[in-house]
Amino acid sequence: MSNRSQLISTGKPFQFDRERDAEFERLSTRYPTRESLILPALWLIQEQEGWICQEALAYAADRIGTFASKLYEAVTFYTMFHLHPMGRNHICVCRTLSCWLLGKQEIVDFLKNEIGITPGQISEDGRFSLEEVECLGHCGTAPVVQVNGEFHENMDAGKLKELLATLP
């Protein structure tokens, strides 16, 4: 399981690129308070960098005009935010009851054998990262796996093997 509470410092200043800066400014007109921008700002950081470092969190807090601790609360609560670099293909396996009962562990075991990592790790070549997460909201089509943000339902080892073969 990944560490969900430790922010990593890159030692480098962070700022939004031009596209995300424009999106942040556009969004800032849509919300009634600046603190409503916490989740959108975190999404923009993750979209730009692939994960959220200490400097990016402080930058967003400054842009919003709030304390970094408020962003820290959000980023450590929601498993959708990554606090360390991920593999090019980030695989999330739902571990809640429906998925657990319908084969979640077989999927995790298959991935351990197929890509050689356990949840919370990144493959040596950086191609894959694996994480077990709380409910992905697809209980009716469990077990579910999310790869790079896309959901794959009714998964089994055979479907997963085919899916892995299509990933860069």
Side-chain angles (χ1 to χ4, degrees):
M1 181 177 236
S2 64
N3 184 341
R4 297 278 328 139
S5 62
Q6 183 178 11
L7 283 173
I8 297 173
S9 171
T10 62
K12 300 175 187 172
F14 174 87
Q15 66 180 28
F16 288 134
D17 60 21
R18 183 181 300 197
E19 177 184 347
R20 275 117 190 140
D21 187 61
E23 181 64 7
F24 180 84
E25 290 303 319
R26 186 187 72 77
L27 290 170
S28 69
T29 63
R30 296 182 55 196
Y31 293 97
T33 66
R34 298 283 294 175
E35 287 194 355
S36 302
L37 288 165
I38 289 175
L39 292 179
L42 292 171
W43 272 120
L44 289 171
I45 294 167
Q46 188 160 288
E47 183 181 271
Q48 180 176 313
E49 300 297 315
W51 64 292
I52 299 170
C53 68
Q54 184 176 347
E55 292 81 4
L57 191 120
Y59 170 83
D62 188 52
R63 290 285 303 266
I64 293 168
T66 190
F67 298 104
S69 61
K70 291 196 173 191
L71 280 79
Y72 178 80
E73 289 172 351
V75 81
T76 55
F77 178 79
Y78 294 106
T79 58
M80 61 196 175
F81 294 120
H82 308 304
L83 299 179
H84 54 84
M86 296 284 122
R88 285 192 312 275
N89 300 291
H90 184 59
I91 303 170
C92 298
V93 179
C94 181
R95 66 178 176 199
T96 49
L97 186 60
S98 296
C99 289
W100 189 83
L101 290 172
L102 294 170
K104 178 276 298 178
Q105 192 57 48
E106 289 83 8
I107 289 171
V108 171
D109 291 342
F110 171 78
L111 288 169
K112 285 181 191 174
N113 291 329
E114 193 71 16
I115 60 177
I117 59 174
T118 59
Q121 294 182 324
I122 301 172
S123 61
E124 285 186 26
D125 61 3
R127 184 173 176 214
F128 296 105
S129 54
L130 176 61
E131 185 174 23
E132 287 187 65
V133 297
E134 295 305 322
C135 189
L136 289 173
H138 290 253
C139 298
T141 54
V144 66
V145 172
Q146 187 182 37
V147 180
N148 300 329
E150 185 175 307
F151 292 99
H152 301 275
E153 301 165 317
N154 299 309
M155 287 304 288
D156 59 31
K159 290 179 182 176
L160 201 47
K161 186 173 183 101
E162 290 175 14
L163 176 63
L164 292 176
T166 66
L167 299 174

